[in-house]
Amino acid sequence: EALYRSTDGGDSWQVVVRQTSWGTPPLPDVNALVYSLGQRPPRFECDYQGACQRSDDGGSTWTHLNTGAVLLDGLVATAVSPQYAQDGTVYFRPESDLYRYQEAGQVWSASTAPIFGDRDFGQHLTSLAAAATGETTHDLFVGSAAGEFYRSAAHEIPWLTVASAKALPPDL
């Protein structure tokens, strides 16, 4: 596992730090690095049962996030849209799917792209990141345990609405 950076919108990448063995310290939390750059989009976390929460103050306080019928157990990664202030979009990557959450209507959508279907353990998708490609557009980057790396314009990924948390009764 390694942490990479790009200074040209994802066209090229350089290794920043590589975890060389299980005995080396863990890689830094990518979301924490984004926050250290002065950006403060909300933080999202989910436990292994799929219960999610969000923080709007860098992690000092947390509130429950209603995921509706979307199961986020085994969450691998989250990525906040680089244009979050305008589009309110967050991506969630559990072990076998990719979900998009749009805060404006509290709408959850699942990607129908074949890459996000069932995969063998040795090829499971392990990471997710978003990078701006313009003032209103961004790309999603996904890596796999097999060393594959995928890039796609977020607006070109096919989505199917699966739930609107707004229409659901509040969790008790």
Side-chain angles (χ1 to χ4, degrees):
E1 303 232 354
L3 178 66
Y4 295 82
R5 78 169 177 189
S6 174
T7 57
D8 57 9
D11 288 332
S12 63
W13 294 85
Q14 301 82 36
V15 174
V16 175
V17 63
R18 182 178 306 277
Q19 189 171 13
T20 56
S21 72
W22 292 106
T24 59
L27 295 173
D29 176 17
V30 174
N31 289 325
L33 295 174
V34 171
Y35 301 140
S36 71
L37 297 174
Q39 302 172 1
R40 280 279 187 204
R43 287 179 63 179
F44 295 87
E45 293 183 358
C46 302
D47 65 21
Y48 284 104
Q49 286 76 41
C52 298
Q53 55 187 0
R54 70 176 283 156
S55 174
D56 292 312
D57 58 11
S60 296
T61 60
W62 294 88
T63 57
H64 175 74
L65 176 66
N66 190 343
T67 59
V70 174
L71 299 176
L72 295 175
D73 55 322
L75 187 70
V76 173
T78 60
V80 176
S81 163
Q83 294 88 12
Y84 179 82
Q86 292 80 32
D87 65 20
T89 300
V90 182
Y91 301 94
F92 291 82
R93 172 79 194 109
E95 292 176 348
S96 61
D97 295 301
L98 176 67
Y99 292 100
R100 177 181 66 189
Y101 175 65
Q102 295 171 297
E103 287 199 291
Q106 297 180 355
V107 174
W108 288 90
S109 303
S111 172
T112 58
I115 181 179
F116 299 111
D118 290 333
R119 296 173 142 256
D120 293 335
F121 181 75
Q123 295 181 344
H124 69 279
L125 300 176
T126 58
S127 57
L128 174 67
T133 55
E135 287 189 28
T136 61
T137 58
H138 57 274
D139 285 357
L140 292 181
F141 298 86
V142 179
S144 80
E148 302 162 317
F149 191 67
Y150 301 94
R151 174 184 187 173
S152 182
H155 69 276
E156 293 178 0
I157 295 174
W159 299 97
L160 176 66
T161 300
V162 292
S164 174
K166 193 174 192 177
L168 299 171
D171 292 340
L172 301 176

